[in-house]
Amino acid sequence: MLSGFLIKEIIQYLNNLGYIHADWNVDTLDSYVKDDESKIISNALTSMKRNENNNHYHQTVLMHDDIKKSATIDALPLLIEKLIYYGYHFETLTQNSHIIKHVK
């Protein structure tokens, strides 16, 4: 595990190279869920609701892109469908986006 100080140095180094550090604030916990896409979706929706209850409306969802994570792969289109149904919209991250950043 990297220390907070080292992470800040790495982020600063990347910023100096012109990269933008973007983080997440919605955890689907898909790294722990093995074969249950409905649990991944539920985790995402719960996390998003918690953010909204704390007046955080810009949300970036963390999901892992690993061929071994079939539940994540199966959950993604269903999660997108649900979020669209609930009125969420999706944006491409750009330099002008509200970028989520949290470093301990």
Side-chain angles (χ1 to χ4, degrees), residues 8-49:
K8 288 178 185 176
E9 282 189 346
I10 292 169
I11 292 169
Q12 185 58 52
Y13 175 77
L14 292 171
N15 286 342
N16 292 341
L17 293 175
Y19 293 95
I20 298 171
H21 168 246
D23 219 333
W24 51 270
N25 63 349
V26 175
D27 192 354
T28 63
L29 300 173
D30 69 323
S31 59
Y32 302 104
V33 176
K34 299 297 178 209
D35 297 318
D36 189 353
E37 63 269 5
S38 64
K39 183 66 176 159
I40 292 170
I41 293 167
S42 174
N43 290 340
L45 295 174
T46 299
S47 186
M48 294 176 85
K49 190 56 148 174

Side-chain angles (χ1 to χ4, degrees), residues 79-98:
L79 178 59
I80 291 170
E81 192 176 292
K82 279 188 177 282
L83 293 174
I84 290 170
Y85 175 81
Y86 290 134
Y88 289 92
H89 65 276
F90 299 82
E91 297 177 358
T92 302
L93 289 176
T94 69
Q95 290 183 336
N96 298 322
S97 296
H98 178 90

